[in-house]
């Protein structure tokens, strides 16, 4: 028997769930389908820094989504906490960036996007052991606690009568006259009005396997990232620290995350002793007091890597009612709310507040 669905979103990470919220708020019916359970992949594994790493070195398309999201997060997290009682722990703890050889570019970027910046204070630099180079302090930069943000978002979507179909994969997608008419899973057939693919690192494989006759050049590759968690005390560190390509993120309860590796390992999510040692050495050299605390967790996640880290957001080039929101690489949390808004604007044919061109599936492939 075939059930009818309005909007079906494949992939219930941050990208799929935030899109679902946009559609529900616009009065549409939404179903989220995931091969596992919601929010347990990259979105769970990430650090939750709500700033791209050195955004001034990255494409403008990343800053555009990130800056719009930064404005949306306070209300989003307050709404989630109020409705669900689960605190996503969004908080403006600030970020200290230890080395800025391109300080002028950083300054220009901060001024352009109205991001408050200061030179770092002596009390901040004196507790850390590293070679500082024009350190910069960004007091307004916030973090969110990934597992709680996702849990809260799922609970909120359930309250909004969003249906979750977990542990299920799509077996077939039916296309008639360049439109998706339905999908088949082990549970049966569903007809759909719109299909959104937000399968993170698996997006390229998903599209190639299910739509071999409709090739789309979506270059998304898994990029493994490993993290460590120290069971530290709340007074150990009060703000995020970025030193080179690695960072410390203090959570409200005192635990400190250390991240992260950037590895090409296919879809292999296993952790390695080498990464553990490297992250441990980085963290304890930078903040020696961490040697007093145990490492309680070590994990890995698969980032959806894309050319220049710019996500693909928009309509499939050949299939009218098939949309993609994937490939957010290192910035899926920080770009999430604005990316979801852009996707919803495109699907619902509303005016967009951000130019969609750089995220289009038809954009030229980066060399
Ligand atoms: C170590 C690490 C640190 C990070 N730190 C940060 C940070 O500080 N700030 C930041 O903004 N970003 C960070 N990121 C990046 C961020 O986590 C990702 O960009 C973001 O989570 C991507 O979200 P997503 O929903 O697109 O993908 P995912 O969270 O991976 O979700 C994809 C979903 O699709 C499902 N799926 C896949 N294939 C199928 C299928 N065939 N059928 C059904 N379902 C399927 C999966 O089960 C999964 O639930 C980090 C990532 C890692 C790994």
């Amino acid at each position: 028997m075939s059930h009818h669905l309005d909007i079906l979103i494949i992939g219930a990470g941050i990208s799929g769930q935030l899109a679902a919220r946009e559609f529900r708020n616009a009065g549409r019916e939404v179903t989220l389908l995931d091969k596992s359970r919601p929010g347990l992949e990259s979105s769970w594994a990430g650090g939750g820094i709500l700033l791209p790493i050195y955004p001034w070195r990255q494409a403008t398309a990343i800053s555009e989504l990130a800056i719009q999201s930064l404005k949306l997060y306070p209300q989003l997290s307050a709404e989630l906490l109020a409705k669900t009682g689960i605190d996503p722990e969004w908080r403006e703890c600030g970020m200290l960036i230890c080395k800025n050889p391109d300080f002028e570019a950083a300054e220009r970027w901060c001024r352009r996007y109205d991001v408050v910046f200061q030179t770092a204070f002596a009390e901040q630099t004196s507790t850390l052991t590293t070679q500082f180079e024009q350190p910069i302090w960004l007091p307004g930069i916030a973090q969110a606690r990934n597992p709680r943000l996702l849990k809260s978002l799922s609970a909120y979507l359930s309250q909004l009568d969003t249906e979750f179909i977990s542990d299920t994969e799509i077996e077939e997608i039916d296309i008639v006259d360049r439109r998706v008419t339905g999908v088949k899973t082990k549970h049966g057939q569903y007809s759909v009005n719109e299909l959104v693919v937000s399968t993170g690192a698996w997006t390229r494989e998903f599209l190639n396997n299910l739509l071999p006759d409709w090739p789309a050049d979506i270059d998304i590759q898994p990029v493994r990232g490993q993290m460590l968690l120290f069971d530290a005390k709340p007074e150990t560190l009060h703000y995020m620290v970025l030193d080179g390509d690695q960072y410390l993120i203090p959570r409200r309860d005192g635990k400190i995350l250390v991240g992260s590796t950037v590895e090409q390992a296919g879809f292999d999510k296993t952790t390695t002793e080498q990464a553990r040692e490297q992250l441990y050495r980085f963290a304890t050299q930078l903040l020696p007091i961490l040697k007093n605390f145990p490492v309680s967790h070590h994990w890995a996640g698969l980032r959806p890597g894309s050319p220049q880290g710019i996500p693909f957001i928009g309509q499939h080039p050949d299939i009218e009612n098939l949309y993609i929101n994937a490939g957010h690489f290192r910035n899926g949390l920080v770009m999430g709310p604005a990316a979801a808004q852009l996707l919803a604007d495109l699907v619902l044919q509303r005016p967009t507040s951000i130019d969609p061109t750089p995220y289009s599936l038809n954009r030229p492939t980066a060399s």
Side-chain angles (χ1 to χ4, degrees), residues 10-16 33-50 146 168-170 198-202 206 223 225-227 247 249 260 299 301-304 325-335:
I10 318 283
I14 189 84
S15 307
L33 178 145
D34 203 287
K35 69 178 167 65
S36 141
R37 278 177 298 133
L40 290 187
E41 290 292 350
S42 191
S43 302
W44 175 89
I49 302 174
L50 299 181
N146 303 42
T168 301
E169 293 205 42
I170 301 286
S198 57
T199 44
W202 294 266
F206 178 86
V223 181
Q226 300 191 44
M227 306 269 273
Y247 49 78
I249 309 171
S260 60
W299 67 89
L302 299 177
R303 305 178 186 93
N325 181 22
H328 304 70
F329 190 35
R330 302 192 77 169
N331 297 305
L333 253 78
V334 54
M335 295 194 287

Side-chain angles (χ1 to χ4, degrees), residues 44-45 223-229 258-263 265-279 295-302:
W44 175 89
V223 181
R224 186 167 72 188
Q226 300 191 44
M227 306 269 273
L228 287 190
L229 187 72
V258 187
S260 60
T261 62
V262 179
E263 305 164 77
F267 288 97
D268 180 0
K269 269 200 312 183
T270 45
T271 55
T272 63
E273 201 47 43
Q274 189 194 7
R276 185 188 179 95
E277 276 168 25
Q278 187 233 318
L279 292 168
V295 171
S296 59
H297 284 95
H298 175 200
W299 67 89
L302 299 177

Side-chain angles (χ1 to χ4, degrees), residues 132-149:
F132 285 99
E133 192 178 349
Q134 305 187 80
I136 189 169
W137 167 236
L138 305 175
I141 297 308
Q143 61 165 293
R145 192 162 183 162
N146 303 42
R148 298 192 187 187
L149 171 62

Side-chain angles (χ1 to χ4, degrees), residues 238-297:
H238 298 288
Y239 43 85
M240 298 181 281
V241 181
L242 175 63
D243 188 18
D245 199 28
Q246 292 175 310
Y247 49 78
L248 302 179
I249 309 171
R251 296 304 196 205
R252 202 167 57 191
D253 58 9
K255 294 183 197 301
I256 295 179
L257 275 85
V258 187
S260 60
T261 62
V262 179
E263 305 164 77
Q264 308 295 334
F267 288 97
D268 180 0
K269 269 200 312 183
T270 45
T271 55
T272 63
E273 201 47 43
Q274 189 194 7
R276 185 188 179 95
E277 276 168 25
Q278 187 233 318
L279 292 168
Y280 185 87
R281 203 170 41 245
F282 161 76
T284 52
Q285 272 173 9
L286 182 62
L287 188 62
I289 195 178
L290 283 178
K291 286 186 189 140
N292 300 337
F293 302 108
V295 171
S296 59
H297 284 95

Side-chain angles (χ1 to χ4, degrees), residues 16-171:
Q17 293 200 40
L18 285 173
R21 173 174 166 270
E22 291 291 331
F23 292 129
R24 283 306 288 141
N25 286 342
R28 299 290 296 264
E29 301 293 322
V30 187
T31 305
L32 276 154
L33 178 145
D34 203 287
K35 69 178 167 65
S36 141
R37 278 177 298 133
L40 290 187
E41 290 292 350
S42 191
S43 302
W44 175 89
I49 302 174
L50 299 181
L51 179 79
I53 291 181
Y54 307 105
W56 40 91
R57 297 178 196 167
Q58 302 195 36
T60 306
I62 292 179
S63 292
E64 295 292 318
L65 288 177
I67 291 294
Q68 184 163 318
S69 293
L70 295 189
K71 295 178 188 143
L72 298 170
Y73 257 108
Q75 205 241 316
L76 169 67
S77 70
E79 183 182 323
L80 293 178
L81 175 60
K83 300 284 185 193
T84 67
I86 304 167
D87 188 352
E89 293 192 19
W90 174 88
R91 63 191 182 99
E92 279 177 340
C93 58
M95 173 177 258
L96 175 67
I97 306 185
C98 301
K99 296 181 181 63
N100 296 285
D102 48 357
F103 192 89
E104 280 169 18
E107 209 176 346
R108 266 198 310 278
W109 184 90
C110 289
R111 287 190 203 288
R112 173 173 175 188
Y113 290 108
D114 232 356
V115 171
V116 178
F117 69 97
Q118 297 162 358
T119 43
F121 303 111
E123 310 88 78
Q124 293 175 320
T125 51
S126 62
T127 52
L128 299 166
T129 313
T130 187
Q131 201 71 45
F132 285 99
E133 192 178 349
Q134 305 187 80
I136 189 169
W137 167 236
L138 305 175
I141 297 308
Q143 61 165 293
R145 192 162 183 162
N146 303 42
R148 298 192 187 187
L149 171 62
L150 269 294
K151 207 170 159 192
S152 182
L153 195 48
S154 301
Y156 183 43
L157 288 170
S158 296
Q159 283 178 18
L160 295 178
D161 291 330
T162 303
E163 189 189 356
F164 284 89
I165 304 175
S166 299
D167 302 309
T168 301
E169 293 205 42
I170 301 286
E171 293 169 352

